[in-house]
Amino acid sequence: MKLRNLTKLEWAIVALVGVILVALLVPPVEAVFDGHFALAVCVEESRAIDRESVLLATFWTEEEAQEALDHPGVYEYRFRRLRLTDDGQTVIDVPYCGRDATWREPARYNEPTFLVVEYQLEGVDESSPVRKRFDIPDGRGPRSMSIRLP
């Protein structure tokens, strides 16, 4: 059996099939991003709290947030002092990260889902701080939430 020379059209079809195979076999490049969004927090006090003692931390998983509640010494490095205005308002930066969509997968967007607040009640022993967990609102971009202490 003798092979014959391919025509230009046949070469074009072979090249197209080759390009399609390469495109399917080679994984596409995925862009990774990170940043932060502003979260406005309004603190409503049902009982007087020591405003200078208010600390706050964000947590990505429920397990971490629950561990921070159950064991007050754990994750202490994550807590930062909260500067409240006279009417109980503050704005914090919350981190997020994700991956841009490719033709094979949808975009993924990850952010902390829990806010844990540590505070002291006014006139109570300083060795017993109280921690309380709140859900960070879903969405993209700046958000706001109200929390009631205690």
Side-chain angles (χ1 to χ4, degrees):
M1 178 170 162
K2 189 173 183 184
L3 294 176
R4 65 179 176 85
N5 289 337
L6 298 177
T7 66
K8 287 183 181 180
L9 178 62
E10 291 170 332
W11 276 114
I13 292 172
V14 169
L16 181 63
V17 169
V19 167
I20 290 172
L21 284 174
V22 168
L24 291 174
L25 295 176
V26 175
V29 176
E30 198 170 50
V32 177
F33 62 88
D34 62 353
H36 67 276
F37 65 88
L39 176 63
V41 180
C42 177
V43 178
E44 300 170 0
E45 298 176 44
S46 60
R47 208 167 117 198
I49 62 170
D50 178 9
R51 286 177 166 241
E52 296 298 316
S53 71
V54 179
L55 302 173
L56 172 138
T58 57
F59 292 92
W60 296 76
T61 66
E62 187 172 5
E63 293 79 23
E64 286 180 323
Q66 191 59 47
E67 190 172 354
L69 291 174
D70 295 342
H71 308 286
V74 176
Y75 298 118
E76 199 157 313
Y77 63 92
R78 286 192 181 180
F79 284 84
R80 57 185 185 239
R81 189 148 318 275
L82 196 61
R83 305 277 183 230
L84 295 173
T85 62
D86 292 338
D87 59 348
Q89 304 282 328
T90 191
V91 177
I92 62 168
D93 286 333
V94 179
Y96 66 83
C97 66
R99 296 180 181 273
D100 272 341
T102 63
W103 59 274
R104 289 187 185 179
E105 295 181 25
R108 291 185 300 271
Y109 182 81
N110 305 306
E111 64 187 23
T113 52
F114 299 100
L115 186 71
V116 176
V117 179
E118 180 179 300
Y119 60 93
Q120 298 275 347
L121 292 172
E122 190 87 1
V124 177
D125 180 23
E126 287 186 21
S127 64
S128 59
V130 179
R131 285 188 177 175
K132 197 169 181 181
R133 183 181 85 181
F134 300 94
D135 292 338
I136 295 175
D138 289 334
R140 301 267 175 105
R143 295 169 228 171
S144 63
M145 64 184 289
S146 294
I147 61 175
R148 181 174 295 280
L149 298 179

